[in-house]
Amino acid sequence: QVQLVESGGGLVQAGGSLKLSCAASASIFKANTMGWYRQAPGKQRELVARIFTTGTTVYADAVRGRFTISRDNAKNTLYLQMDTLKPEDTGVYHCNTWKTGVGPERSWGQGTQVTVSS
């Protein structure tokens, strides 16, 4: 029943790093663009980064140069390496599929909390 399971979040000081993981079902991972989404307190959920099945990546302006999205197709696992974290990166991070004009398509997992202190 659970198709997406995020992990790796935590509390970190500004300037620190975290690496998030997303274990996905093969049925949704293999043929789909995957993305990391986040929702900060009082804000709408936003797409942070996405990676196509080919490995091509696209980043939101706010994280470009600091975050790296990757995927291991053999393990059906999505990653987000986050470096030089800022307080504004604080939020709940979820993984999901991504499609043009649609965004996420699957049921949300539990997410993982990232808190960056100043």
Side-chain angles (χ1 to χ4, degrees):
Q1 291 180 311
V2 178
Q3 296 182 307
L4 300 166
V5 180
E6 301 92 343
S7 62
L11 175 64
V12 65
Q13 293 184 345
S17 299
L18 286 172
K19 187 173 184 178
L20 309 183
S21 297
C22 168
S25 299
S27 61
I28 63 173
F29 190 90
K30 297 293 188 185
N32 289 289
T33 299
M34 298 295 297
W36 280 101
Y37 303 78
R38 71 183 180 189
Q39 187 168 26
K43 292 187 175 182
Q44 294 273 72
R45 181 178 287 108
E46 64 176 340
L47 177 66
V48 174
R50 62 188 188 270
I51 183 167
F52 296 87
T53 56
T54 59
T56 299
T57 59
V58 181
Y59 296 92
D61 290 343
V63 308
R64 187 176 296 108
R66 298 187 298 116
F67 290 12
T68 303
I69 188 172
S70 61
R71 64 192 292 161
D72 187 332
N73 292 330
K75 297 180 179 179
N76 299 315
T77 303
L78 182 72
Y79 302 99
L80 185 67
Q81 177 66 48
M82 305 184 294
D83 298 314
T84 319
L85 283 161
K86 303 175 180 180
E88 50 262 46
D89 295 319
T90 294
V92 179
Y93 285 69
H94 289 88
C95 60
N96 213 312
T97 59
W98 180 91
K99 287 189 182 298
T100 301
V102 178
E105 293 184 295
R106 311 298 181 180
S107 298
W108 297 105
Q110 84 284 357
T112 186
Q113 175 70 44
V114 172
T115 303
V116 184
S117 64
S118 60

